[in-house]
Amino acid sequence: MSIDLSQFFDVFFEESFEGLDAMEAELLNLEPGKEDSETINTIFRAAHSIKGGSGTFGFVSVSDFTHVLETLLDQIRDGQRTLTAEHVNLLLKSVDCVRGLLGALQAEEEPDLSESNELKARFEAILGGESAEEVEGESQEDTTQSLQSTTYQIDFKPEPHLFKTGNEPLYMFSELAELGQLEVAAFHDGIPDFLEFDPEDCFLHWRFFLTTSKPEQAISEIFEWVEDDADIKIEACGGLFEDDTNATAEINTPEAADLPEPITVTEESTPEIKAEPAPKADENIAAVQKKVESAKNTKKSADSTATSIRVGIDKVDSLINMVGELVITQAMLSQIGDQEITESSIAALQEGLTQLAHNTRDLQENVMRIRMLPISFVFSRFPRLVRDTSQKLNKQVELKLVGEQTELDKTVMEKLSDPMVHLVRNSLDHGLETPEERIANGKDPVGTVTLNAFHQGGNIVIEIMDDGKGLDTEKIRSKAIANGLISESDDLSVEEVNELIFMPGFSTADSVSDISGRGVGMDVVRRNIQALNGSVEVTSKQGVGSTFTIRLPLTLAILDGQLVQVATHTYIIPLISIVESLQIDISKVSKVGKGLEVLRLRDEYIPILRLYDIFSHQGAREELDKTLLVVVESDNYKIGLLVDDLLAQQQVVIKSLEANYQKVDGISGATILGDGTVSLIIDISGLIKLSGLRRPGSTELLVDLKGEEAEPV
Amino acid sequence: MIDQVEVNQQLMFDGESDEKQFLTFMMHDEEYGMDILAVQEIRGWEPVTTIPNSPNFVRGAMNLRGTIVPIIDLRMRFGINAIEYGPLTVVIVVSVQIKDQQKIMGLVVDAVSDVYSIAEEKAKDVPDFQDSDNAYFVHGLVNVGQKMVVLLNLEKVLDLSDKSGLKG
């Protein structure tokens, strides 16, 4: 074979996995009885391209399996069959199955066919239930190699433009060869004079004799894609030609008599479209498979790291635009450079440099954004998970996804997925009650699980909320005592008790299910998230629900920042957490407790944190009336940061301070300002902890800030 | 096997086995040395950004072509009196493996001095000076001509989480 197919495998796998994802998403949208044809079509198309691709590459296990799937979908699409919930379940299972098969093939392992065979049998049972014709076709195809084989005569006379439609007859021939014994004859009588010969046209036509036990349909399917571009005749020859060699001889009868002698398969004029008899084609496929294996072997280790990302075409377009601008600016500058230096050329030069700076910054920002993907890539797997798990648990669950467009770095995203799956499962299993319990508690029988993602400061925050029964503090406490994690005499706050679920070896589930409850959960979740320099916290109210909050730093993110000055130092406050900035009216400042100052602002009391004090800087302005207060919000609490002055607002690229140093309390990262100096980014919630306003692990501020008149109504 | 190792070493060090190159620098009129392979570059002193609530020997953070690099004043790390930074003051940027993590840090020293090839076995054990915290940072002492050079154990000098050798 002249083309090394293995080079396309990666693309095929990538596309197939995407196709499967699309199928899964669409299947989840399907509601029996309310299906719309566009959805079915999308599913069908995905299944069809996987089948086509796998057939082309010789992954018979996949193409055979997708074939039955496709048959069912086809019938539903044509309205011959109505969609039932069973179909959807089965189709979802087969999506998993195909994913497994493809995964195994990609890892060049022998795919486990037991599941696919079982599913295939069930599909066939469904198909067989109604259409007798179908049963015949399917059963023949799958079970009966020994059935009487038939010889077909196939005339394949493509239009000259066949190649231009992107079809490669060679693949069709090797697919034919897979069906049975194949004999090929190629005719070159259509080849015109050399002068008129267009190398991109197809002037050859072929005649095949195929002896196979497969039905005629299997043959016509191979030619499905070229039906409109070729003259195809498929006729059964009965048992006439027992011997293949006879067959070739016999065809030169009436119809074929005026045709020139068939050329041999090694004809030089058609090196790339030569057809080969069956055994050889088989060998080729085997060879390809071997090649894949060797190729995969070398690649295996790199697989985990060298992944690709899909970038929206709009992002690429805007990059190209910017590069264009850059080139124009550069041309302009070099033109100015060639001129004599006059006053006007200096002005033009300065203008050009400003332009250049602008272009470069735009370009830089956009390149950074390419690595950022919307979190919907992680969220998209949850509808399926929730559906399956809730069915297993007999619970009714509604999944709400909020903030799917929140962008985060791809590397973080990959590592985030597993802990999130765990937390969601936990919410479904332990958090939500059964419909009966919910009704008894006066709740909507359908429980809600909400996934919410948003940026907060230099962090991305992901909340997993359920409106279930909440954490049972008493149970956790007694369990923890039983496990020896705490002692009877320990006096722990509710938050501290809730924290215990993150301890290794802790599970309160009454029964161990395959969903959760083996006690190897939450500590692993916490560890994984901490490995990403993140944190996970839980808040819960009995009977109302619980919320798990994952907080992760954006390792390679851009942040809108407000530059502030404290003494001689410049810090950056994430713009998103700033509520307002104001000058302090001293008459509204009062002191509470141990010298903590609070400002009465409208109906709220805002504690004032003196940044210079917390960061131990000398030489800052200390008089309240000469400074500015930046009111920021974090974890639903507002605090005021005292700064000397507000400087510019700008986008900054977050750099890690921990990479070469260590974690600094109250600082989430660093960035490099326009003049090349380093500036530190303030971590508001860390600052609150640092200032001692809040006990570690607790979500309540130590000081009761909401005075009576400020009590929320 | 052993023969092969020896051959390799001979090839690498041109006959003189076990010799390592050390970059030396001056501090408080003493000469200190560090493995030259750890050194990335030597820069002049320039103002850095203070890191709040850091130990006093951490001067701050510097932008090294896009990487944030902490700068450590070695004098203060050793508990020697600080001096005004002058034109000879340099920052030696080193890359050191600290607990499975490769970290890049800058060390402020009075001046760079020389590069010596020193055989590993010539490095003398540190005399027992129990009353000095700094013994903890010292890898060995070696004589070069008339001078004595203190070879530093960079991993320990730069492991900021390890408080055992700290003053104050």
Side-chain angles (χ1 to χ4, degrees):
Chain A
M1 210 170 273
S2 55
I3 299 172
D4 180 8
L5 279 182
S6 59
Q7 61 181 312
F8 302 116
F9 283 161
D10 277 340
V11 182
F12 164 69
F13 284 125
E14 206 164 294
E15 281 186 0
S16 299
F17 284 127
E18 260 166 41
L20 287 172
D21 288 343
M23 274 175 82
E24 192 170 48
E26 294 296 332
L27 280 169
L28 290 170
N29 285 338
L30 274 185
E31 270 180 64
K34 281 194 241 157
E35 70 270 14
D36 69 308
S37 59
E38 200 30 59
T39 316
I40 305 262
N41 268 331
T42 312
I43 301 169
F44 180 81
R45 274 195 297 270
H48 188 73
S49 7
I50 294 169
K51 187 188 94 164
S54 50
T56 306
F57 292 113
F59 301 132
V60 191
S61 52
V62 178
S63 59
D64 278 1
F65 181 69
T66 34
H67 177 74
V68 278
L69 217 143
E70 197 191 40
T71 315
L72 177 71
L73 283 166
D74 196 23
Q75 291 184 0
I76 295 170
R77 187 172 65 155
D78 293 349
Q80 294 174 25
R81 189 182 293 275
T82 45
L83 184 78
T84 66
E86 191 205 347
H87 292 158
V88 177
N89 279 340
L90 210 53
L91 286 169
L92 278 173
K93 265 192 199 146
S94 48
V95 167
D96 290 342
C97 175
V98 174
R99 199 173 274 150
L101 290 175
L102 286 172
L105 286 165
Q106 194 176 22
E108 13 114 21
E109 286 157 9
E110 196 59 37
D112 177 17
L113 292 179
S114 57
E115 197 196 345
S116 75
N117 284 337
E118 187 196 319
L119 281 169
K120 202 152 92 179
R122 286 177 63 184
F123 273 117
E124 276 155 13
I126 293 175
L127 290 170
E130 276 168 42
S131 155
E133 192 194 337
E134 223 31 76
V135 177
E136 194 188 333
E138 297 301 333
S139 59
Q140 242 179 348
E141 193 174 330
D142 298 320
T143 52
T144 59
Q145 281 300 350
S146 57
L147 263 195
Q148 192 176 9
S149 48
T150 328
T151 305
Y152 293 93
Q153 178 186 330
I154 306 154
D155 282 310
F156 176 54
K157 198 168 180 182
E159 302 277 330
H161 65 258
L162 178 78
F163 297 150
K164 291 176 187 161
T165 60
N167 287 296
E168 167 63 281
L170 187 59
Y171 295 147
M172 294 185 260
F173 299 168
S174 36
E175 241 187 288
L176 271 182
E178 275 169 40
L179 295 177
Q181 282 286 101
L182 185 72
E183 191 71 30
V184 192
F187 301 96
H188 57 82
D189 56 302
I191 299 177
D193 281 349
F194 189 71
L195 285 179
E196 289 160 33
F197 183 82
D198 182 345
E200 289 183 6
D201 277 355
C202 174
F203 297 107
L204 296 166
H205 60 101
W206 294 269
R207 173 167 293 169
F208 308 91
F209 288 94
L210 176 68
T211 309
T212 178
S213 54
K214 303 271 163 74
E216 198 178 316
Q217 190 204 349
I219 302 169
S220 53
E221 218 163 65
I222 292 171
F223 293 105
E224 208 174 9
W225 291 351
V226 292
E227 263 171 1
D228 300 332
D229 305 312
D231 204 5
I232 302 159
K233 256 189 261 167
I234 304 170
E235 282 164 18
C237 310
L240 272 182
F241 309 112
E242 297 281 43
D243 186 350
D244 289 316
T245 47
N246 282 349
T248 11
E250 298 242 6
I251 51 153
N252 292 331
T253 41
E255 199 208 343
D258 46 65
L259 297 175
E261 272 302 296
I263 54 170
T264 59
V265 287
T266 49
E267 179 70 40
E268 277 181 7
S269 68
T270 59
E272 43 176 27
I273 38 170
K274 64 181 186 237
E276 292 168 18
K280 208 156 176 210
D282 280 346
E283 272 169 35
N284 275 332
I285 288 162
V288 169
Q289 270 161 352
K290 245 179 229 159
K291 249 183 225 166
V292 191
E293 274 164 32
S294 58
K296 284 288 141 90
N297 269 337
T298 54
K299 249 183 263 170
K300 211 170 198 173
S301 54
D303 260 358
S304 52
T305 49
T307 51
S308 61
I309 57 170
R310 298 203 132 219
V311 179
I313 195 82
D314 54 325
K315 282 187 181 172
V316 177
D317 279 348
S318 74
L319 273 186
I320 290 171
N321 275 337
M322 275 167 215
V323 173
E325 292 278 308
L326 199 64
V327 170
I328 294 168
T329 315
Q330 184 257 325
M332 184 177 87
L333 284 173
S334 59
Q335 209 174 14
I336 296 170
D338 289 343
Q339 290 167 2
E340 255 180 70
I341 297 171
T342 64
E343 212 143 281
S344 71
S345 71
I346 288 176
L349 184 68
Q350 278 166 344
E351 198 177 306
L353 286 172
T354 321
Q355 181 87 30
L356 184 68
H358 188 73
N359 292 152
T360 329
R361 195 171 311 134
D362 281 357
L363 192 65
Q364 177 198 354
E365 281 169 15
N366 273 272
V367 170
M368 291 298 186
R369 290 233 158 102
I370 279 191
R371 270 183 73 91
M372 306 288 280
L373 295 173
I375 199 166
S376 54
F377 279 81
V378 179
F379 278 8
S380 60
R381 66 149 77 183
F382 287 104
R384 172 76 196 277
L385 182 106
V386 169
R387 182 184 185 278
D388 288 359
T389 316
S390 58
Q391 275 183 0
K392 218 176 277 177
L393 292 167
N394 284 323
K395 290 179 183 174
Q396 293 173 8
V397 184
E398 187 193 348
L399 179 71
K400 280 188 190 153
L401 302 178
V402 186
E404 286 170 277
Q405 290 309 311
T406 311
E407 293 197 328
L408 92 152
D409 196 273
K410 184 173 183 284
T411 41
V412 178
M413 179 126 45
E414 281 162 356
K415 290 178 183 140
L416 183 64
S417 168
D418 285 346
M420 275 190 72
V421 167
H422 201 99
L423 289 174
V424 170
R425 281 193 175 155
N426 250 311
S427 287
L428 292 171
D429 195 13
H430 304 315
L432 293 180
E433 313 90 332
T434 57
E436 298 80 41
E437 282 170 10
R438 290 183 68 90
I439 292 168
N441 288 330
K443 288 182 181 177
D444 185 347
V446 180
T448 311
V449 173
T450 310
L451 302 183
N452 183 16
F454 55 94
H455 281 163
Q456 192 184 57
N459 295 319
I460 181 164
V461 180
I462 297 152
E463 292 177 338
I464 295 147
M465 296 176 266
D466 66 69
D467 63 347
K469 56 185 172 236
L471 294 175
D472 187 342
T473 26
E474 269 317 299
K475 202 162 157 189
I476 295 171
R477 214 185 127 80
S478 53
K479 191 91 177 187
I481 292 169
N483 287 0
L485 293 172
I486 53 169
S487 71
E488 196 96 34
S489 57
D490 283 347
D491 183 24
L492 298 173
S493 70
V494 177
E495 287 80 22
E496 283 164 331
V497 173
N498 287 347
E499 280 284 300
L500 289 172
I501 61 169
F502 294 110
M503 302 286 281
F506 191 88
S507 174
T508 54
D510 298 325
S511 64
V512 171
S513 64
D514 66 339
I515 295 161
S516 52
R518 289 201 190 82
V520 286
M522 301 307 273
D523 63 312
V524 179
V525 168
R526 171 162 275 191
R527 226 177 21 239
N528 284 349
I529 289 172
Q530 277 172 347
L532 295 168
N533 288 325
S535 66
V536 55
E537 281 164 19
V538 60
T539 53
S540 166
K541 196 158 186 191
Q542 212 150 354
V544 179
S546 31
T547 301
F548 287 87
T549 310
I550 300 176
R551 212 174 284 277
L552 287 171
L554 301 165
T555 48
L556 202 146
I558 302 165
L559 172 123
D560 283 309
Q562 168 72 57
L563 274 61
V564 298
Q565 198 178 344
V566 179
T568 53
H569 310 277
T570 306
Y571 286 95
I572 291 164
I573 300 176
L575 208 54
I576 193 166
S577 50
I578 297 183
V579 183
E580 61 187 311
S581 302
L582 46 98
Q583 278 184 316
I584 298 172
D585 178 356
I586 297 192
S587 63
K588 289 191 175 167
V589 177
S590 43
K591 287 200 173 183
V592 220
K594 312 161 270 185
L596 178 77
E597 289 157 311
V598 295
L599 171 74
R600 187 174 168 198
L601 182 64
R602 291 182 281 275
D603 269 348
E604 284 173 293
Y605 287 93
I606 314 275
I608 297 173
L609 298 187
R610 292 169 184 256
L611 266 189
Y612 66 86
D613 203 18
I614 297 172
F615 288 158
S616 328
H617 289 323
Q618 307 296 323
R621 287 183 217 160
E622 302 188 9
E623 305 87 353
L624 286 178
D625 53 347
K626 286 185 186 151
T627 53
L628 290 172
L629 190 71
V630 181
V631 181
V632 292
E633 186 168 9
S634 164
D635 306 327
N636 296 322
Y637 284 104
K638 283 182 185 163
I639 55 166
L641 303 178
L642 204 62
V643 301
D644 287 11
D645 204 356
L646 293 181
L647 305 171
Q649 284 178 11
Q650 69 175 66
Q651 288 203 317
V652 296
V653 178
I654 301 172
K655 306 243 177 195
S656 166
L657 193 57
E658 283 157 67
N660 290 317
Y661 186 53
Q662 60 195 25
K663 175 106 186 79
V664 179
D665 291 329
I667 298 294
S668 65
T671 191
I672 293 162
L673 297 178
D675 61 358
T677 56
V678 177
S679 182
L680 302 176
I681 302 166
I682 291 174
D683 166 22
I684 310 286
S685 63
L687 207 60
I688 297 178
K689 277 179 197 159
L690 188 64
S691 66
L693 270 180
R694 199 167 74 180
R695 223 188 290 177
S698 151
T699 53
E700 303 281 326
L701 292 193
L702 278 183
V703 187
D704 182 22
L705 298 166
K706 296 193 171 160
E708 268 162 21
E709 60 268 71
E711 195 71 35
V713 189
Chain B
M1 198 55 198
I2 294 161
D3 289 348
Q4 188 59 45
V5 171
E6 274 172 11
V7 170
N8 284 348
Q9 280 175 344
Q10 276 166 8
L11 284 174
M12 278 167 74
F13 294 106
D14 202 19
E16 297 174 53
S17 63
D18 276 351
E19 285 216 338
K20 271 171 127 182
Q21 286 198 304
F22 287 84
L23 174 77
T24 65
F25 55 88
M26 301 306 294
M27 223 170 54
H28 204 57
D29 297 328
E30 293 290 338
E31 196 167 6
Y32 295 85
M34 63 171 82
D35 186 355
I36 204 164
L37 293 178
V39 178
Q40 279 206 337
E41 61 180 275
I42 300 170
R43 304 168 62 94
W45 163 258
E46 49 193 276
V48 295
T49 303
T50 312
I51 300 174
N53 300 325
S54 55
N56 66 346
F57 56 82
V58 177
R59 298 294 311 200
M62 185 186 71
N63 165 21
L64 183 75
R65 292 180 296 278
T67 312
I68 310 285
V69 176
I71 304 297
I72 288 159
D73 187 317
L74 214 53
R75 271 177 170 262
M76 295 195 194
R77 178 68 166 153
F78 289 173
I80 309 170
N81 299 332
I83 52 159
E84 282 283 304
Y85 292 161
L88 283 178
T89 307
V90 289
V91 178
I92 305 176
V93 180
V94 294
S95 171
V96 182
Q97 173 106 14
I98 297 170
K99 291 179 188 148
D100 344 312
Q101 253 188 317
Q102 199 72 27
K103 299 209 170 189
I104 299 172
M105 294 191 180
L107 298 171
V108 182
V109 301
D110 292 1
V112 280
S113 170
D114 211 336
V115 175
Y116 300 125
S117 290
I118 297 169
E120 187 69 25
E121 62 263 26
K122 280 193 196 155
K124 301 220 169 58
D125 280 345
V126 188
D128 189 11
F129 28 48
Q130 281 163 336
D131 52 341
S132 167
D133 292 326
N134 291 343
Y136 177 74
F137 299 132
V138 178
H139 167 69
L141 300 174
V142 68
N143 287 321
V144 180
Q146 296 299 308
K147 293 176 289 185
M148 189 190 75
V149 176
V150 182
L151 302 182
L152 293 179
N153 184 340
L154 277 185
E155 284 80 2
K156 289 201 173 121
V157 173
L158 296 179
D159 188 353
L160 306 182
S161 58
D162 199 334
K163 302 282 191 287
S164 46
L166 287 190
K167 283 213 169 210

